Amino acid sequence: MAMRDIRVVPDPVLRTPCEPITEIDARVRSLVEDLLETVDHEGRAGLAANQIGVSLRAFSWNIDDELGYVLNPRIVELSEDEYQDGDEGCLSVPGLWYPTNRAWYARVVGQDLDGKEVVVEGTELMARCLQHEVDHLDGMLYLDRLERSVRKKAMRAMREQLA
């Protein structure tokens, strides 16, 4: 197990859709250990594999003192009538928090390290995490979901940070 460095914008791995995991081998098991160790710190809710430089479909979470992971996740259900619009941040976009619309409830289906189907679901912060991390695996950042005027402000702030 290893605590891994977090990739930050503009690293291209963050904008590249991740490949499905087709074989659960020692490399994938090691990846899951690294994801769990790296997310297991104060202030970290979720971590996608590409955020540590691995372009495979896997992420971990650390919510309400529960650590977990899922391989090959796909969102299968989002609440259609209930939304949340609280501030969202990202380890790959450090220090920037903006109001981001997300479904109140989300359900993800994927696999565990034994290849068995797992269902991960939740409301509020867990739902936000599931949506945020699947976006990462699809090569998206939360900034892409911001309202136009807010996104413009966020991009300006990000450029200033990089300068």
Side-chain angles (χ1 to χ4, degrees), residues 32-33 35-37 39-40 45-47 58-63 65-71 111 118 120 126 129-130 133:
V32 168
E33 288 179 8
L35 284 168
L36 290 169
E37 182 170 332
V39 81
D40 190 15
L47 183 68
F59 72 80
S60 60
W61 68 85
N62 178 12
I63 295 180
D65 296 324
E66 178 191 344
L67 283 173
Y69 73 91
V70 61
L71 310 177
Q111 296 173 285
V118 293
V120 185
M126 188 63 178
C129 176
L130 295 174
E133 301 311 327

Side-chain angles (χ1 to χ4, degrees), residues 4-70:
R4 302 278 293 268
D5 290 335
I6 306 291
R7 302 288 183 98
V8 297
V9 292
D11 192 316
V13 73
L14 298 170
R15 293 297 193 170
T16 305
C18 294
E19 295 294 321
I21 294 169
T22 56
E23 181 182 348
I24 299 172
D25 55 14
R27 180 173 165 237
V28 171
R29 291 179 190 286
S30 178
L31 169 63
V32 168
E33 288 179 8
D34 291 352
L35 284 168
L36 290 169
E37 182 170 332
T38 306
V39 81
D40 190 15
H41 293 274
E42 186 76 27
R44 295 185 175 182
L47 183 68
N50 56 346
Q51 289 182 276
I52 59 172
V54 179
S55 290
L56 291 175
R57 292 191 71 82
F59 72 80
S60 60
W61 68 85
N62 178 12
I63 295 180
D64 297 330
D65 296 324
E66 178 191 344
L67 283 173
Y69 73 91
V70 61

Side-chain angles (χ1 to χ4, degrees), residues 129-141:
C129 176
L130 295 174
Q131 294 166 82
H132 181 108
E133 301 311 327
V134 170
D135 275 356
H136 269 302
L137 301 178
D138 292 337
M140 285 183 65
L141 296 171

